[in-house]
């Protein structure tokens, strides 16, 4: 599995770190990815890797697990 966001396609960036003495060192900046169980409209859920910016922006709704005993209590309220 590649380090790529399933929503926006953000992937690692490559470049040089430049010190104040102007020495160049190769560096890779990786996106902040999290595995989230996403809830899709048809009732299905799937685990996808998305960046935290997409999660924070609300592009994906997280599937929330509700235990059986709490479902009865929520239905009564």
């Amino acid at each position: 599995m590649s380090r790529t966001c399933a929503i926006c396609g953000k992937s690692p960036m490559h470049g040089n770190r430049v010190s104040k003495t102007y020495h160049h060192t190769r560096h890779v900046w990786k996106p902040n990815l999290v595995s989230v169980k996403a809830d899709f409209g048809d009732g299905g859920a799937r685990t996808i890797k998305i960046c935290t910016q997409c999660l924070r922006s609300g592009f994906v709704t997280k599937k929330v697990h509700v235990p059986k005993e709490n479902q009865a209590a929520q239905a009564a309220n």
Side-chain angles (χ1 to χ4, degrees):
M1 188 85 187
S2 63
R3 291 186 171 133
T4 305
C5 177
I7 303 297
C8 65
K10 188 184 287 187
S11 60
M13 294 179 64
H14 305 275
N16 288 318
R17 250 194 196 153
V18 182
S19 68
K20 65 181 185 179
T21 59
Y22 207 62
H23 290 149
H24 288 66
T25 308
R26 296 299 291 172
H27 185 73
V28 178
W29 289 271
K30 297 175 186 167
N32 189 7
L33 296 179
V34 290
S35 293
V36 173
K37 237 180 212 193
D39 187 22
F40 296 101
D42 57 355
R46 198 172 80 203
T47 302
I48 58 174
K49 286 188 177 185
I50 60 171
C51 64
T52 53
Q53 292 294 323
C54 290
L55 182 63
R56 195 173 136 197
S57 299
F59 293 133
V60 175
T61 55
K62 288 175 70 172
K63 181 170 173 63
V64 179
H65 174 69
V66 179
K68 294 285 183 185
E69 59 265 2
N70 290 349
Q71 287 178 350
Q74 287 179 351
N77 290 334

